[in-house]
Amino acid sequence: MLTRAERAASPADHIATHGPERPVHFFASAVLDANLARFRAGFPGLVTYAVKANPAEHVLRQLWAGGLHGFDVASPEEIALVARLCPGAAMHYNNPVRTPAEIRFALAAGMQSWSVDDGRELDKLLAAGLPQGTEIAVRFRLAVSGAVYNFGSKFGADETGAAQLLQRVQAAGMTPALTFHVGTQCADPAAYGSYVRAAAAISGQAGVSVARLNVGGGFPSGRDGNPVDLEPFFAEIRSAMAAFATAPQLVCEPGRGMVADAFAFGVQVKSLRDSRVYLTDGIYGGLAEFTSMTIPRYRVFGPDGASRKGAERQVTVFGPTCDSIDRLPGTLAMPEDLDEGDWIVFGSMGAYLTGMTTRFNGYGQWDSVEVASV
Ligand SMILES: *Cc1c(COP(=O)(O)O)cnc(C)c1O
């Protein structure tokens, strides 16, 4: 539940006023509105949202109310959630691996688009009796670097395989489309350009013109502290579209780039021993992503909300559970005057936190609080 009463100006303000006893997920709705506006103004096509990045009901409702019309969903649970909160929204089922039961569920929910990256998965879709003309987007991958986390290593046909799948989609009477995912927190606009040009080449090689090209997610958040400029990404996509003889309509499905910067996550120092710091949450909880991604920018406050300003020293940081792997990778720079009861507020924590948290050892609970700015 999101607490809106007595809205504080900032995380530090909330900490000082309320003295929270659990970790706090801070949310600034204005940032989510601004991110949606940036995508809608700058992206030259349909903007959808990847639900898995943050399936909180208030997030989905706000995006829907703000004029976002489509969602990338990956499971019956996500489909049911979107159908309940955003009735009539377009849903794109872009998890290319599905059981027959999952396909039936999605079909009954009126799924508008499906991705495939493999012939057997296409067989399953066709056997399930998708209505003629349904969009099937072939997911492909390139060996492109630039993403912190490489989605290409799990899903995506190679270019030749993608061309063959496109031909099969067309022959089956479905609407052919192409899709890719450059990998999350992609810092390099050129990655999108390479993929868009490859999509044009695949379409040409197959002799199949595609109705839509879904450029996936991967757009970066400001987790490293630099403000994000999405315009170079949009410009790169726009200019690479010249590679198509007939330009398909564009779709994007940001997750992190849409929500991450609208949230911060505050955890408290529960114990301090020389250069070892124990926090009230760790890798089994809200900090789950820290094991596979760089640690985002953070600020340190005393319980009174004042910034700690001491010279920095490197410390090893542990989560609260009794498992020795519950430790943040490497070391973190912390002010010398860090004390028990202090707060560490990590920025850009809106993506891949809700939904990734376990209740291991009885932890993983936090307060959700709206603040004016994070
Ligand atoms: C996870 C995912 C996204 C969102 O990725 P971000 O890096 O969070 O933007 C988009 N599309 C698909 C198919 C995904 O699996």
Side-chain angles (χ1 to χ4, degrees), residues 104-175:
R104 282 193 299 277
F105 188 93
L107 202 49
M111 192 59 53
Q112 294 200 351
S113 179
W114 311 66
S115 74
V116 293
D117 65 352
D118 171 80
R120 289 188 62 177
E121 292 297 320
L122 179 57
D123 293 342
K124 278 196 237 170
L125 285 187
L126 298 177
L130 262 49
Q132 286 287 294
T134 300
E135 179 177 276
I136 299 184
V138 174
R139 171 132 168 209
F140 70 98
R141 70 182 146 116
L142 303 175
V144 174
S145 59
V148 169
Y149 187 93
N150 185 7
F151 280 74
S153 64
K154 181 160 181 185
F155 294 133
D158 64 20
E159 289 153 278
T160 305
Q164 288 164 355
L165 283 168
L166 265 190
Q167 289 168 342
R168 284 193 58 202
V169 168
Q170 174 157 285
M174 302 298 165
T175 298

Side-chain angles (χ1 to χ4, degrees), residues 36-50:
L36 176 58
R38 286 197 305 161
F39 273 102
R40 292 189 68 202
F43 181 74
L46 179 71
V47 179
T48 70
Y49 170 65

